[in-house]
Amino acid sequence: MAAPGFVVVAMAAEQARLKLLAMPENRAAGQTLTLQRWLTQWLAAIEGQIRPTALRAYREHVHNHLIPAIGHIELANLRACHVQAAFLNIGTRRTKSGRLLAASTQNRIRATLRSALSEAVRQDFIPLNPASRIRLPKPHKVHPVLWTATRVAEWRATGVRPAVAVWTRQQLVAFLKTIRNDPHFALWWLVALTGLRRGEVAALRWTDIDLHDTTLTVKEQIVVVDGQDVVGPPKSATSCRTIALDATTVRLLRNEWRLHQRALRETGRNPGRYLFVNAKGQQLRPDYLTRRLGKLIANADLPPVRLHDLRHGAASLALAAGVDLKVVQHLLGHSSIITTADIYTTVLSEASRNAAEATASFVLDVARTRLSLGGASQA
């Protein structure tokens, strides 16, 4: 005769089996599928459906953070408390430079998990998404600032620099003057004035340029994934855009076109008809552009900016010149005008000062008359 304890265990197992059999097929599978296995399947399913850089980020989040923390838990048993505890631990980790993992990085990791679990909900493996109910620190937005004389002096004295800084108009002119004889002067000029991303400018072909209509169309970008250059669509749908070119830029590109035609006739180089190529007629790699810019800036003895900061600078200069915010949004390929305004309205110290003076003058003109305030200094 079986022991009472064995009977109780057997009955519980049978009840669990019957409960599992009564579930829809996918919901039953969720009872036995671990999060690690689901995340692995999900990554395999979305490969080829998203941009290579996004897939690389998802893989890093999954393998470096999510699987080590909660990959062992069955999908059906995953709760918000498990996810919250996992992120409390993730938040204590440090980067290679020794800094705590940024709140923005934690939020991107959570977004990866939430996307994977949303797919599990759609396929009826689980009823709810536990990643949607947790609290994370709010990311601290880093806005670009100008390389003012004070910031430059501090950087030269201490080596400390702002996280994101852009050149003033005078500093940009000094840079362009210094690199006037650089083989890729037209490229640096184009990025500085139009704010193209490094992958976008590297992927430009002559078919994307209309020198008669004076326009440039962004259709592709080159990204570096696992050390390999991958040509694909731009960052977003709004990044596919056509922008107008000024007369000076057109003149520079006409010179580039003549060099391109000569190279084709004499050597057959640049069969891909890329706008900017190296001495061998090969497309320029985005990481090469980053390294090259750093060397040029150092030789010019100017405060450091990243290649992406030239994009920030192009937007800031356009806004300071009075260009409409909606036009700047299109120039940069932002999906929302709010993004453009949020990033760049803090960097326009010159424009902000002019606006402050204009507002004060508007009030003081009346105040002086009615209140006898006299000169501005008395106000």
Side-chain angles (χ1 to χ4, degrees), residues 13 17 45 48 53 89 117 166 194 220 266:
R17 187 183 73 84
T53 49
N89 177 263
L117 293 179
V166 300
T194 65
E220 295 178 320
E266 296 177 356

Side-chain angles (χ1 to χ4, degrees), residues 4-21:
F6 176 80
V7 173
V8 171
V9 171
M11 290 178 62
E14 178 61 16
Q15 289 175 354
R17 187 183 73 84
L18 293 174
K19 182 179 179 181
L20 198 63
L21 290 174

Side-chain angles (χ1 to χ4, degrees), residues 74-135:
E74 284 80 12
L75 191 58
N77 295 332
L78 185 65
R79 299 291 183 267
C81 60
H82 299 136
V83 179
Q84 188 72 70
F87 276 91
L88 288 175
N89 177 263
I90 289 171
T92 65
R93 298 178 184 175
R94 295 185 180 273
T95 63
K96 292 180 180 179
S97 62
R99 296 181 179 179
L100 287 171
L101 213 60
S104 57
T105 303
Q106 295 182 51
N107 276 268
R108 285 193 291 270
I109 296 170
R110 192 265 294 270
T112 298
L113 178 62
R114 187 167 52 195
S115 181
L117 293 179
S118 292
E119 182 60 29
V121 172
R122 279 191 290 271
Q123 294 191 29
D124 202 30
F125 285 111
I126 53 177
L128 299 171
N129 188 336
S132 62
R133 302 191 226 171
I134 68 168
R135 294 181 179 274

Side-chain angles (χ1 to χ4, degrees), residues 31-212:
Q31 298 286 327
T32 58
L33 198 64
T34 64
L35 180 62
Q36 175 176 352
R37 187 175 172 188
W38 169 249
L39 289 173
T40 303
Q41 292 180 5
W42 174 71
L43 285 174
I46 63 174
E47 186 172 356
Q49 300 179 13
I50 60 175
R51 292 181 294 110
T53 49
L55 182 62
R56 178 184 61 190
Y58 285 169
R59 284 172 173 165
E60 289 176 355
H61 297 163
V62 166
H63 294 296
N64 295 346
H65 301 286
L66 297 174
I67 287 179
I70 48 179
H72 62 284
I73 301 176
E74 284 80 12
L75 191 58
N77 295 332
L78 185 65
R79 299 291 183 267
C81 60
H82 299 136
V83 179
Q84 188 72 70
F87 276 91
L88 288 175
N89 177 263
I90 289 171
T92 65
R93 298 178 184 175
R94 295 185 180 273
T95 63
K96 292 180 180 179
S97 62
R99 296 181 179 179
L100 287 171
L101 213 60
S104 57
T105 303
Q106 295 182 51
N107 276 268
R108 285 193 291 270
I109 296 170
R110 192 265 294 270
T112 298
L113 178 62
R114 187 167 52 195
S115 181
L117 293 179
S118 292
E119 182 60 29
V121 172
R122 279 191 290 271
Q123 294 191 29
D124 202 30
F125 285 111
I126 53 177
L128 299 171
N129 188 336
S132 62
R133 302 191 226 171
I134 68 168
R135 294 181 179 274
L136 291 180
K138 290 185 178 180
H140 173 66
K141 292 184 178 180
V142 179
H143 292 90
V145 298
L146 278 175
W147 270 118
T148 60
T150 301
R151 291 190 178 108
V152 172
E154 182 179 358
W155 164 69
R156 293 193 185 280
T158 66
V160 177
R161 57 156 297 178
V164 182
V166 300
W167 284 329
T168 63
R169 179 173 47 179
Q170 293 77 12
Q171 289 162 344
L172 176 60
V173 170
F175 173 71
L176 293 172
K177 184 178 179 180
T178 302
I179 66 163
R180 187 62 187 88
N181 295 323
D182 184 81
H184 295 120
F185 175 80
L187 182 150
W188 307 118
W189 172 277
L190 187 63
V191 172
L193 266 68
T194 65
L196 292 175
R197 299 178 178 93
R198 69 173 195 171
E200 293 172 346
V201 74
L204 283 176
R205 302 174 193 263
W206 281 109
T207 51
D208 302 326
I209 308 295
D210 188 330
L211 294 177
H212 177 73

